[in-house]
Structure formats: structure tokens, C-alpha cells
Amino acid sequence: MDGKIGLEEHFAIAETLEDSKGFVGDSVWPELESRLLDIQEKRLRLMDAHGMELMLLSLNAPAVQGIPDPKRAAEIARRANDFLAREVAKRPTRFQGLAALAMQDPDEATRELRRCVKELGFRGALVNGFSQIRDPDSMVYLDDARYRGFWAELEKLDVPFYLHPRNPLPSAAQIYEGHPWLLGPTWAFGQETAVHALRLMASGLFDAHPRIQIILGHMGEGLPYSIWRVDNRNAWTQQPPRYPAKRKLGEYFRENFYVTTSGNFRTQTLIDAILELGADRIMFSTDWPFENIDHAALWFDAAAIAEADRAKIGRGNAVRLFKL
Ligand code: MN
């Protein structure tokens, strides 16, 4: 299919490059490094070769979220956003931007989001899970009360928020001890991000701000497969859930969340997501440069789904959501 749009597509700046190094072996790093630093050359050639018209670009992970000093985090976010704005300006029909935000300082993050949307023309924000704030061993999640003003502004600006994975800190990763292969995209990313999303749903955020739209990658980090059980629990006990939100979590999932195909090129999984969320809430993405554009595109173009759904997922939903 031509005209595909991808929205979990990453780059790095010199200051954040090293954050991606641990995810691949030494022999592969030179290739990943060159992919992360390139925007206008190899990336564009691959997009052309595989029917990808547009990428919404975002910084690598954990990057800004992993910088405990709030001032430094804000500085790196601004630097990355300014760099991205210059790259987008070179080819605005092929690239658009998602803001990096220093959630270490909620007021600063709110100001930077406004600047990115109003002045730089960015289409939304992408944040890599929890933030370390001052104490490198802290993990502050986005359902924290300190973010109320941020979420109000996001709703007002009417732009989507991509909740992107990061690994749990070693102090919170006991379950993975002795099994480092489970970290990263294999399992820990999905686990971490799914729980974060459930925290947001249960917090009452979407009762206060019903227009907020959160995007999850990797076909929803396992949630389409599990959300029914989250709400069902032990139905025979008939006990109301003990969380602040007013409704079943699946209702927020279907009304306040989108998922993308990034790094999860599996038709069975896509069909499950379609059955849970509907084809209007799924969007194509590759997760370049950690995944290959050809792997994503060749799978998606041939996946056994309705052509009308392919058109929505490959392009139409992103055009509508991001007002492209
Ligand atoms: Mn990614």
C-alpha cells in the first residue's frame, strides 16, 4: 500500500545516542548508530522503497526521562525538539515531529509542549514511560497528581500523547534477575508500559479529561489480549473495583487509546486488536531504526485484513488523529 504513515519512528541526537547502545550487540551497534543519526538519506530511501509517505519522528529512549536533573532534562528536550524542527522543515511532506518532554518538571514540560505545538508545529508528544526525578532511583509515573496541569493543557491543545516503553530500573526489576534476555522489547518494555497505561486508566484521568488520546506501540503492549480479564477479574465475587476511575478500564481503552503496529508484525495479533478496539483505533508504525521498515511494510501490505481496514490503519486514522 502506498501512502503509509508511521508514528513510532525514532532518531537520536549526540547527547541521547548512548541510551540505545545496550539494546543490541556490539557487532550491530555501528549499523544502529548510523540509522539513529540519519534522517534525510537511508531512512528516506527505505520509506520510498516501501510505500511510506510520512514519518512522525521522536527521540530515542529513555533519553530525557532518564536524566534525573530536571534542568538538564529540560535542556536536552529543547535541544532535541529544536533539532527535530529543523529536520522536519527540510521535508515537511515526509517528516513531522512529536515533542520530547522533561516530565521531571511538570510546568516546564507543559510550557515545552505548548512551544512545540504552537511554535514548532509538532503534532503531539512522545514520552518514554516513568521519569527519574532528582533521585536516580526514583520512578515517577504519569498518573501522579503533579501532572494534572500538564494533562489539562494536552487536552486543550488537542494533540495525542504517545506512551513509549522503557525498562524498569534495576531496583524494580527483581523478576528479571538472572534473565537479562527478558529486558527490552522481548518482554519488559511491554510489561512496564501496559501497567503504566492501566495506572492512567484507573486514575480517573479520562473522567477529568475525556478528550485525551494516548497511543501505545507494539499492538497495545499486550492489553488488547488482556483487557477483558482486567475488568472481569473474579466476576463471581461481584466486588466493585478499588480505583478512582468511574468506569470499567476497557471503556477507557476503547475511547482514549490508540495502538500501533510498531515492532509487532503479526496478523493474529493485529486481528485481536481489531476485535477489541476496532480498526479505527489502530495505526501502522515500524519502530525504525530498531525494527526494519521492509519487515513492517511487507507484512502489513500483505496482511489478511479487509482493504478498507488496511487503508484506515495504514494511513487514514493517522491523518484524522494528527490533523495531517
Ligand atoms: Mn520505539
Side-chain angles (χ1 to χ4, degrees):
M1 150 181 189
D2 284 333
K4 287 190 291 295
I5 297 170
L7 42 136
E8 188 185 324
E9 319 297 346
H10 307 297
F11 69 95
I13 58 173
E15 295 87 335
T16 65
L17 186 60
E18 291 288 310
D19 285 38
S20 296
K21 198 167 180 178
F23 294 114
V24 294
D26 289 348
S27 62
V28 186
W29 174 241
E31 167 70 15
L32 181 60
E33 182 182 30
S34 73
R35 287 181 180 197
L36 277 162
L37 294 173
D38 160 68
I39 292 188
Q40 309 285 346
E41 290 173 24
K42 182 178 187 178
R43 183 186 300 252
L44 200 58
R45 284 199 300 277
L46 285 165
M47 290 165 66
D48 287 341
H50 297 286
M52 214 171 162
E53 184 178 329
L54 182 72
M55 274 190 180
L56 282 86
L57 299 175
S58 53
L59 194 60
N60 60 328
V64 176
Q65 274 62 58
I67 305 173
D69 175 17
K71 279 205 163 56
R72 173 79 182 156
E75 186 191 318
I76 296 301
R78 278 196 301 271
R79 209 176 289 176
N81 292 331
D82 288 341
F83 169 82
L84 178 53
R86 288 194 297 274
E87 291 298 321
V88 166
K90 293 175 189 170
R91 281 192 178 84
T93 59
R94 307 304 302 278
F95 299 116
Q96 288 286 311
L98 297 177
L101 298 174
M103 305 308 291
Q104 288 84 348
D105 178 345
D107 291 337
E108 161 61 26
T110 306
R111 278 193 301 275
E112 181 64 1
L113 174 66
R114 201 180 304 129
R115 182 182 81 97
C116 286
V117 172
K118 297 277 190 194
E119 293 173 32
L120 304 183
F122 285 7
R123 302 291 172 161
L126 181 142
V127 167
N128 299 307
F130 65 85
S131 292
Q132 290 154 270
I133 307 184
R134 288 189 186 89
D135 175 4
D137 211 25
S138 63
M139 300 166 75
V140 179
Y141 289 86
L142 293 162
D143 55 293
D144 192 276
R146 76 188 77 188
Y147 295 120
R148 278 186 196 139
F150 171 82
W151 289 119
E153 181 68 14
L154 183 92
E155 185 182 48
K156 208 169 106 195
L157 288 167
D158 194 23
V159 291
F161 182 98
Y162 207 120
L163 182 61
H164 184 274
R166 65 176 295 185
N167 271 325
L169 297 180
S171 60
Q174 196 181 10
I175 194 172
Y176 302 121
E177 275 175 20
H179 297 268
W181 59 274
L182 280 166
L183 289 165
T186 317
W187 191 260
F189 278 178
Q191 159 84 3
E192 175 70 31
T193 312
V195 173
H196 200 164
L198 290 168
R199 289 175 64 128
L200 291 178
M201 292 177 205
S203 71
L205 173 66
F206 306 109
D207 298 319
H209 303 292
R211 285 165 50 230
I212 286 177
Q213 297 297 324
I214 307 285
I215 304 167
L216 299 174
H218 318 110
M219 218 74 90
E221 314 289 7
L223 286 173
Y225 205 83
S226 305
I227 195 70
W228 182 86
R229 179 158 163 81
V230 171
D231 280 329
N232 184 66
R233 301 175 297 134
N234 306 84
W236 65 271
T237 61
Q238 296 287 323
Q239 281 167 353
R242 287 168 292 180
Y243 54 60
K246 295 200 174 94
R247 303 161 67 193
K248 287 188 170 183
L249 301 195
E251 296 177 46
Y252 303 111
F253 192 41
R254 290 185 290 273
E255 292 174 25
N256 298 98
F257 282 78
Y258 284 76
V259 306
T260 75
T261 66
S262 63
N264 205 343
F265 315 135
R266 181 71 169 163
T267 304
Q268 286 88 334
T269 311
L270 172 60
I271 288 171
D272 178 54
I274 292 173
L275 289 172
E276 282 294 344
L277 290 169
D280 291 327
R281 287 194 168 267
I282 304 168
M283 296 180 285
F284 176 76
S285 289
T286 75
D287 211 350
W288 176 264
F290 304 97
E291 303 287 346
N292 267 20
I293 292 169
D294 56 340
H295 296 170
L298 292 171
W299 162 72
F300 180 73
D301 290 356
I305 56 172
E307 289 307 322
D309 288 349
R310 196 180 332 273
K312 287 179 181 178
I313 295 168
R315 178 183 175 83
N317 294 339
V319 168
R320 191 185 69 246
L321 181 63
F322 291 96
K323 305 183 186 77
L324 297 166

